Amino acid sequence: MGLVESLDALVGDLSDRGSPLRSYLQPGLSRQEIQREAEQRDAVLHPDVETLFGWHDGFDVARWNDDEVNLALLPGFEFRPLHDALDQFELSRSIGGDLSAKWGGLEQDQVWAATWCPIVSLDGRSIYISADAADYGSVWFDPLQDEKRRLFDSL
């Protein structure tokens, strides 16, 4: 089963259990839209990130906030639109730059790399997919909030 089929199965199962999640998912973006947005932010995306946001561009945040619904694709984490995910990426890169300067001896990419794209987040914490050669496609917990740790080998 591919990534899109797995995501569809997950949403289907959650819907069968009464979750309104499906009705809040936004249509996916084209590969060109995703790549253009990433290039504008100097982000290097793993193909799974493109597949995820091509499948659906997160939740309709305005509707979701108005309805005060608790939605999570992964427990405790919000699936926000690519634009929001890349806002989080830019913030994390900025913090990474500040921390690398404070700590000395670290490059910005050691704190938050241009190849780490958040896919879900909550209160500034992220789960991201790496496009690093050594960890290509692996899923990690936000190193700015906690010790960097690998969650899964792939999405």
Side-chain angles (χ1 to χ4, degrees), residues 2 6 16 19 21 37-38 88 91 100 112 122-123 125 134 148:
S6 295
D16 290 348
S19 171
L21 182 136
E37 183 89 22
Q88 181 67 43
L91 176 62
S100 66
W112 191 280
L122 182 64
D123 299 330
R125 297 176 302 148
K148 181 181 173 185

Side-chain angles (χ1 to χ4, degrees), residues 21-52:
L21 182 136
R22 184 187 312 269
S23 67
Y24 288 87
L25 287 168
Q26 299 190 117
L29 301 173
S30 72
R31 180 176 222 95
Q32 293 79 15
E33 290 171 309
I34 294 166
Q35 290 173 346
R36 182 175 49 249
E37 183 89 22
E39 287 170 9
Q40 290 171 351
R41 313 285 192 105
D42 294 324
V44 178
L45 303 182
H46 183 273
D48 284 352
V49 174
E50 293 180 6
T51 299
L52 178 64

Side-chain angles (χ1 to χ4, degrees), residues 89-109:
F89 164 83
E90 286 184 324
L91 176 62
S92 298
R93 290 281 293 161
S94 176
I95 292 169
D98 292 346
L99 291 176
S100 66
K102 270 187 190 175
W103 293 341
L106 289 177
E107 297 294 323
Q108 181 180 19
D109 277 357

Side-chain angles (χ1 to χ4, degrees), residues 105-151:
L106 289 177
E107 297 294 323
Q108 181 180 19
D109 277 357
Q110 291 175 283
V111 181
W112 191 280
T115 55
W116 301 348
C117 184
I119 55 168
V120 292
S121 62
L122 182 64
D123 299 330
R125 297 176 302 148
S126 304
I127 293 177
Y128 68 89
I129 295 179
S130 174
D132 289 344
D135 299 308
Y136 198 70
S138 56
V139 180
W140 296 77
F141 189 69
D142 185 343
L144 296 178
Q145 298 293 325
D146 197 358
E147 187 174 320
K148 181 181 173 185
R149 64 178 186 232
R150 185 183 201 122
L151 298 174

